[in-house]
Amino acid sequence: MKLLLMFVTVIAGMATSIQASINGGLGKKVGVLEGAFISFLIGTIALFLFQLFFGKGNVLQMFSVPKWQLLGGLLGAFYVFIMVLSVPKVGVATSIIAIISGQLVMSAMIDHFGLFGGKQIPFDMKRMMGIVLLFGALFLFYKE
């Protein structure tokens, strides 16, 4: 089951590259903020329909969760905005490597300290080398 989950996660990663390319082109046509807005609007409509027909939870529970847990939407909007802005300037691969580099650094800190209720996984030399190598890849992709 874990192997299947990793496979599906890799597919999701591929989808974000396609999304970045599509959103970058959209942003060039309609404007950066407008492109991010359109992308989020269409995603919101799709998620509304999915949760309406397939959802098992209770969306009204959003009023009872800690307010910091609602920041995910803002962070998602920030991500989409930055991708719409950066992809036309530096390309999809460089933008995605930069995003993944930031994700990996923050994820390692979240794991190390067990933040947000997650499992605590200590930062070690293997993880440090992974981050260093990823930043090396970012340098190689960005360097002209």
PDB file of all heavy atoms in Angstrom, residues 104 122-133:
ATOM      1  N   LEU A 104      11.197  20.941   0.917  1.00  0.00           N
ATOM      2  CA  LEU A 104      12.037  19.975   1.611  1.00  0.00           C
ATOM      3  C   LEU A 104      12.664  20.578   2.864  1.00  0.00           C
ATOM      4  O   LEU A 104      12.696  19.937   3.917  1.00  0.00           O
ATOM      5  CB  LEU A 104      13.127  19.443   0.672  1.00  0.00           C
ATOM      6  CG  LEU A 104      13.900  18.236   1.167  1.00  0.00           C
ATOM      7  CD1 LEU A 104      12.962  17.083   1.467  1.00  0.00           C
ATOM      8  CD2 LEU A 104      14.925  17.817   0.134  1.00  0.00           C
ATOM      9  N   PRO A 122      13.911  12.829  13.382  1.00  0.00           N
ATOM     10  CA  PRO A 122      15.111  13.659  13.560  1.00  0.00           C
ATOM     11  C   PRO A 122      15.811  13.993  12.236  1.00  0.00           C
ATOM     12  O   PRO A 122      15.832  13.188  11.305  1.00  0.00           O
ATOM     13  CB  PRO A 122      16.031  12.810  14.437  1.00  0.00           C
ATOM     14  CG  PRO A 122      15.180  11.726  14.988  1.00  0.00           C
ATOM     15  CD  PRO A 122      14.022  11.552  14.064  1.00  0.00           C
ATOM     16  N   PHE A 123      16.360  15.193  12.174  1.00  0.00           N
ATOM     17  CA  PHE A 123      17.156  15.636  11.029  1.00  0.00           C
ATOM     18  C   PHE A 123      18.532  15.000  11.174  1.00  0.00           C
ATOM     19  O   PHE A 123      19.173  15.110  12.203  1.00  0.00           O
ATOM     20  CB  PHE A 123      17.261  17.166  11.036  1.00  0.00           C
ATOM     21  CG  PHE A 123      17.874  17.734   9.799  1.00  0.00           C
ATOM     22  CD1 PHE A 123      17.147  17.810   8.630  1.00  0.00           C
ATOM     23  CD2 PHE A 123      19.175  18.196   9.800  1.00  0.00           C
ATOM     24  CE1 PHE A 123      17.706  18.342   7.477  1.00  0.00           C
ATOM     25  CE2 PHE A 123      19.740  18.729   8.657  1.00  0.00           C
ATOM     26  CZ  PHE A 123      19.004  18.800   7.495  1.00  0.00           C
ATOM     27  N   ASP A 124      18.983  14.312  10.127  1.00  0.00           N
ATOM     28  CA  ASP A 124      20.279  13.642  10.196  1.00  0.00           C
ATOM     29  C   ASP A 124      21.104  13.986   8.956  1.00  0.00           C
ATOM     30  O   ASP A 124      20.685  14.773   8.114  1.00  0.00           O
ATOM     31  CB  ASP A 124      20.105  12.124  10.354  1.00  0.00           C
ATOM     32  CG  ASP A 124      19.302  11.493   9.216  1.00  0.00           C
ATOM     33  OD1 ASP A 124      19.092  12.154   8.178  1.00  0.00           O
ATOM     34  OD2 ASP A 124      18.884  10.330   9.373  1.00  0.00           O
ATOM     35  N   MET A 125      22.281  13.382   8.860  1.00  0.00           N
ATOM     36  CA  MET A 125      23.193  13.684   7.751  1.00  0.00           C
ATOM     37  C   MET A 125      22.611  13.270   6.400  1.00  0.00           C
ATOM     38  O   MET A 125      22.848  13.937   5.391  1.00  0.00           O
ATOM     39  CB  MET A 125      24.555  13.006   7.967  1.00  0.00           C
ATOM     40  CG  MET A 125      25.408  13.684   9.032  1.00  0.00           C
ATOM     41  SD  MET A 125      25.724  15.423   8.634  1.00  0.00           S
ATOM     42  CE  MET A 125      26.932  15.251   7.342  1.00  0.00           C
ATOM     43  N   LYS A 126      21.871  12.171   6.345  1.00  0.00           N
ATOM     44  CA  LYS A 126      21.261  11.746   5.074  1.00  0.00           C
ATOM     45  C   LYS A 126      20.292  12.810   4.575  1.00  0.00           C
ATOM     46  O   LYS A 126      20.295  13.145   3.391  1.00  0.00           O
ATOM     47  CB  LYS A 126      20.537  10.404   5.235  1.00  0.00           C
ATOM     48  CG  LYS A 126      21.442   9.221   5.423  1.00  0.00           C
ATOM     49  CD  LYS A 126      20.703   7.900   5.340  1.00  0.00           C
ATOM     50  CE  LYS A 126      19.517   7.858   6.264  1.00  0.00           C
ATOM     51  NZ  LYS A 126      18.845   6.561   6.326  1.00  0.00           N
ATOM     52  N   ARG A 127      19.486  13.320   5.468  1.00  0.00           N
ATOM     53  CA  ARG A 127      18.525  14.361   5.073  1.00  0.00           C
ATOM     54  C   ARG A 127      19.262  15.642   4.667  1.00  0.00           C
ATOM     55  O   ARG A 127      18.871  16.310   3.728  1.00  0.00           O
ATOM     56  CB  ARG A 127      17.540  14.630   6.206  1.00  0.00           C
ATOM     57  CG  ARG A 127      16.548  13.474   6.355  1.00  0.00           C
ATOM     58  CD  ARG A 127      15.616  13.671   7.536  1.00  0.00           C
ATOM     59  NE  ARG A 127      14.577  12.674   7.447  1.00  0.00           N
ATOM     60  CZ  ARG A 127      13.277  12.936   7.389  1.00  0.00           C
ATOM     61  NH1 ARG A 127      12.850  14.167   7.464  1.00  0.00           N
ATOM     62  NH2 ARG A 127      12.399  11.966   7.272  1.00  0.00           N
ATOM     63  N   MET A 128      20.308  15.977   5.412  1.00  0.00           N
ATOM     64  CA  MET A 128      21.081  17.171   5.066  1.00  0.00           C
ATOM     65  C   MET A 128      21.691  17.029   3.674  1.00  0.00           C
ATOM     66  O   MET A 128      21.654  17.963   2.870  1.00  0.00           O
ATOM     67  CB  MET A 128      22.184  17.449   6.090  1.00  0.00           C
ATOM     68  CG  MET A 128      22.946  18.734   5.764  1.00  0.00           C
ATOM     69  SD  MET A 128      24.383  19.051   6.790  1.00  0.00           S
ATOM     70  CE  MET A 128      23.677  19.111   8.394  1.00  0.00           C
ATOM     71  N   MET A 129      22.231  15.862   3.363  1.00  0.00           N
ATOM     72  CA  MET A 129      22.824  15.644   2.042  1.00  0.00           C
ATOM     73  C   MET A 129      21.761  15.730   0.946  1.00  0.00           C
ATOM     74  O   MET A 129      22.011  16.264  -0.141  1.00  0.00           O
ATOM     75  CB  MET A 129      23.542  14.286   1.992  1.00  0.00           C
ATOM     76  CG  MET A 129      24.876  14.286   2.714  1.00  0.00           C
ATOM     77  SD  MET A 129      26.000  15.606   2.166  1.00  0.00           S
ATOM     78  CE  MET A 129      26.188  15.231   0.448  1.00  0.00           C
ATOM     79  N   GLY A 130      20.574  15.213   1.216  1.00  0.00           N
ATOM     80  CA  GLY A 130      19.486  15.323   0.252  1.00  0.00           C
ATOM     81  C   GLY A 130      19.166  16.775  -0.054  1.00  0.00           C
ATOM     82  O   GLY A 130      18.977  17.158  -1.215  1.00  0.00           O
ATOM     83  N   ILE A 131      19.122  17.614   0.977  1.00  0.00           N
ATOM     84  CA  ILE A 131      18.844  19.039   0.786  1.00  0.00           C
ATOM     85  C   ILE A 131      19.978  19.705   0.020  1.00  0.00           C
ATOM     86  O   ILE A 131      19.744  20.473  -0.918  1.00  0.00           O
ATOM     87  CB  ILE A 131      18.586  19.722   2.143  1.00  0.00           C
ATOM     88  CG1 ILE A 131      17.223  19.261   2.695  1.00  0.00           C
ATOM     89  CG2 ILE A 131      18.642  21.239   2.022  1.00  0.00           C
ATOM     90  CD1 ILE A 131      16.939  19.705   4.111  1.00  0.00           C
ATOM     91  N   VAL A 132      21.212  19.409   0.396  1.00  0.00           N
ATOM     92  CA  VAL A 132      22.366  19.991  -0.301  1.00  0.00           C
ATOM     93  C   VAL A 132      22.351  19.601  -1.779  1.00  0.00           C
ATOM     94  O   VAL A 132      22.560  20.447  -2.662  1.00  0.00           O
ATOM     95  CB  VAL A 132      23.690  19.565   0.383  1.00  0.00           C
ATOM     96  CG1 VAL A 132      24.897  19.889  -0.487  1.00  0.00           C
ATOM     97  CG2 VAL A 132      23.814  20.220   1.752  1.00  0.00           C
ATOM     98  N   LEU A 133      22.086  18.322  -2.062  1.00  0.00           N
ATOM     99  CA  LEU A 133      22.050  17.870  -3.461  1.00  0.00           C
ATOM    100  C   LEU A 133      20.908  18.525  -4.235  1.00  0.00           C
ATOM    101  O   LEU A 133      21.069  18.881  -5.408  1.00  0.00           O
ATOM    102  CB  LEU A 133      21.938  16.345  -3.518  1.00  0.00           C
ATOM    103  CG  LEU A 133      23.189  15.583  -3.066  1.00  0.00           C
ATOM    104  CD1 LEU A 133      22.881  14.096  -2.954  1.00  0.00           C
ATOM    105  CD2 LEU A 133      24.357  15.832  -4.015  1.00  0.00           C
TER     106      LEU A 133
END
